[in-house]
Amino acid sequence: MAGPTGRGPSLGAALGYLLRSQVTPRHRLSTYNARHWHAQLSQLTGTRRGYQALEDAGLGVTTQTLINWLSDPEYNVRRSYQDIIHTAYENAAIVPADPIPDHVKRGQFEISGIVKTGDDERERGTRRASPLRIDASRGDWSEIERLWMTGDLDDDTFEDHFIDDIIVADIGEGTDGWDFPGTAYAVELR
């Protein structure tokens, strides 16, 4: 039975699609788009998450002060408090990424598409050539995980680290490194 599959115009895009189908990436909530400190404060004080973000950012004011600020958008609020409100708002707007699950880090990956090492270039995952099989449990996922959690794991970076940290750890450098110059890839997780 086939496992989850990612497809894309590059190996990195296919890997990214596969990972996003398994876990939620770091992202910004679309409802957090207020610009003015008063609108941000109003939105923050409307939820428990918002109050926690204000507390975590270090806003230490009385309930009466909050009521005064919320009742008048032109209230003279010091710049330092406006900065704290803005920081809390940005922190509340970001939803952290789910960690990469063990079944991905320990999985067997089957890569279909053009694979090149040295002078050997062929399309894998066809009737004439089996997919490139990678045992991901032998690799080092630490840098991929760090980039994923910070929201900095783009397709090109994912491809580079997957080659260097996962493929090479499993099957070695190849004849002259690994390259994936094709325009269509499928990555199946087993």
Side-chain angles (χ1 to χ4, degrees):
M1 175 168 232
T5 303
R7 299 182 190 286
S10 68
L11 175 61
L15 288 165
Y17 184 89
L18 174 64
L19 186 56
R20 288 186 301 276
S21 76
Q22 299 300 297
V23 289
T24 303
R26 182 177 194 247
H27 63 283
R28 182 180 182 86
L29 295 171
S30 62
T31 56
Y32 281 76
N33 52 20
R35 300 270 186 241
H36 189 265
W37 70 266
H38 186 265
Q40 292 176 349
L41 183 62
S42 295
Q43 188 171 1
L44 287 170
T45 56
T47 65
R48 184 182 319 253
R49 174 185 174 94
Y51 272 110
Q52 185 63 51
L54 286 167
E55 183 179 315
D56 292 346
L59 184 67
V61 296
T62 66
T63 304
Q64 186 57 48
T65 300
L66 273 179
I67 291 169
N68 291 342
W69 289 356
L70 290 167
S71 64
D72 183 4
E74 300 303 319
Y75 194 92
N76 189 15
V77 174
R78 283 188 285 178
R79 184 71 182 155
S80 62
Y81 284 129
Q82 290 180 26
D83 290 344
I84 291 172
I85 293 166
H86 178 73
T87 298
Y89 191 78
E90 290 304 309
N91 290 343
I94 301 299
V95 176
D98 291 336
I100 298 175
D102 286 341
H103 77 273
V104 172
K105 295 186 290 188
R106 293 185 184 139
Q108 304 294 312
F109 287 77
E110 293 189 352
I111 301 170
S112 299
I114 296 178
V115 178
K116 180 178 181 183
T117 181
D119 293 333
D120 181 12
E121 181 176 320
R122 63 181 115 159
E123 184 157 358
R124 304 295 297 259
T126 66
R127 283 187 279 167
R128 289 180 274 141
S130 64
L132 179 63
R133 291 184 175 93
I134 303 299
D135 180 355
S137 68
R138 296 180 182 199
D140 179 4
W141 284 85
S142 59
E143 187 62 12
I144 294 171
E145 283 185 296
R146 186 189 70 73
L147 292 166
W148 171 256
M149 295 306 287
T150 60
D152 296 325
L153 188 65
D154 62 35
D155 293 345
D156 291 337
T157 305
F158 198 176
E159 181 171 324
D160 291 344
H161 281 287
F162 193 82
I163 292 168
D164 295 343
D165 303 339
I166 310 302
I167 293 176
V168 170
D170 182 34
I171 58 178
E173 290 283 345
T175 306
D176 189 21
W178 294 97
D179 191 22
F180 295 84
T183 58
Y185 286 88
V187 178
E188 183 179 345
L189 177 62
R190 292 181 168 262

